[in-house]
Amino acid sequence: MVARTDQTTDPALLQSLLQARRGTAFFARKLNELTDADLDGASLLPGWTRRHIVAHVGYNARAIARLVEWAATGVETPMYSSPEARNQEIEFGATLSPIALRNLFDHSAVHLSVEWRDLPEDAWQHKVKTAQGRTVPAEETVWMRTREVWMHAVDLDNGASFSDIPAPVLERLLEDITGAWKTRGTAAGLLVKVAGTDSAFGDASATNPTIITGPLPAIAQWAAGRGTDGVHIAGSGAGGTVAAAPKWI
């Protein structure tokens, strides 16, 4: 039997798909390292156990698969019927038995990967709408999933860190986060610089900015609201305590 492969031949998209699938495999590895009893433990996200993280990642795959189906068929299939329905789904998922919770992650991940695989070349540019109301091409679903699996593997609090996340993922994550700050107007006077590089994000027009600097993983961790370890202030306010990053999502 000949193996079925992705229908798209676009090199950049294929690379993005690979990054998403690697992130899924990384999350699976960190999940499989946890015992069933460990699932009851706290995650790095306030108010969520590891069960909530696994449920969220599983249902997120199903929701993104609905967007891919939308792109394939032209029939509108939203990620969720409402924000309340999304939250209720996660809370329900967190009550599943350990084997059901693990199966939810495994089966939903495979389903999404197959939907991507079978999406025709031209359908990747078909427009769909995210849960936040953004209209995007279907290819954006790959990044949406990439971000989820890599970050939430860290949130399982099972030894993974932002240093395990590939640099291209961290860089795009910073672009997303600082872009959200700009849209909300919460990044005024704040410039984020990656140590040892020319990369800078945030308010590049500020004349005397507060500069948050550090290695790429530490900067991404701080910007994503996961702590201030490894970052410090330069420029205006140098030597002060690093505050929490502006709200992202």
Side-chain angles (χ1 to χ4, degrees):
M1 180 180 294
V2 177
R4 297 174 66 180
T5 59
D6 293 306
Q7 289 200 39
T8 182
T9 58
D10 179 82
L13 182 53
L14 288 170
Q15 182 61 35
S16 296
L17 285 164
L18 179 61
Q19 201 74 277
R21 287 163 175 154
R22 283 175 172 167
T24 299
F26 183 68
F27 185 97
R29 176 158 65 87
K30 301 314 293 182
L31 172 58
N32 290 338
E33 290 171 358
L34 295 169
T35 67
D36 289 350
D38 289 336
L39 294 174
D40 295 325
S43 75
L44 293 182
L45 295 184
W48 272 17
T49 65
R50 292 181 175 121
R51 286 175 160 275
H52 288 87
I53 297 290
V54 179
H56 167 58
V57 172
Y59 288 128
N60 171 263
R62 288 186 177 178
I64 291 176
R66 286 193 281 271
L67 294 187
V68 182
E69 292 165 8
W70 178 352
T73 64
V75 177
E76 184 172 345
T77 48
M79 293 182 71
Y80 308 99
S81 59
S82 69
E84 294 75 21
R86 170 189 175 274
N87 295 337
Q88 290 170 6
E89 188 175 57
I90 293 170
E91 289 297 332
F92 167 76
T95 69
L96 294 172
S97 67
I99 189 169
L101 200 55
R102 294 177 191 275
N103 284 340
L104 168 64
F105 168 75
D106 290 338
H107 295 168
S108 63
V110 170
H111 177 210
L112 175 57
S113 187
V114 169
E115 290 293 336
W116 279 334
R117 183 198 68 190
D118 292 343
L119 191 64
E121 185 88 60
D122 61 342
W124 283 99
Q125 294 306 313
H126 291 176
K127 297 297 191 291
V128 296
K129 187 177 291 186
T130 71
Q132 291 74 39
R134 294 188 304 123
T135 299
V136 299
E139 64 182 8
E140 181 74 7
T141 63
V142 182
W143 168 243
M144 291 164 60
R145 183 60 175 174
T146 299
R147 186 176 64 194
E148 293 289 325
V149 288
W150 283 108
M151 287 184 58
H152 288 317
V154 177
D155 291 332
L156 285 173
D157 195 19
N158 185 34
S161 73
F162 274 69
S163 295
D164 294 310
I165 302 176
V169 176
L170 294 176
E171 289 166 355
R172 183 163 180 185
L173 179 62
L174 275 175
E175 291 174 1
D176 273 13
I177 294 172
T178 54
W181 294 346
K182 184 176 181 179
T183 298
R184 296 192 181 105
T186 56
L190 181 62
L191 191 62
V192 179
K193 287 191 173 182
V194 178
T197 75
D198 295 327
S199 297
F201 306 84
D203 189 359
S205 64
T207 56
N208 189 27
T210 296
I211 301 172
I212 306 296
T213 186
L216 178 59
I219 286 289
Q221 174 180 282
W222 169 80
R226 266 74 170 177
T228 60
D229 291 347
V231 299
H232 63 275
I233 301 178
S236 176
T241 301
V242 177
K247 184 180 178 180
W248 167 34
I249 53 176

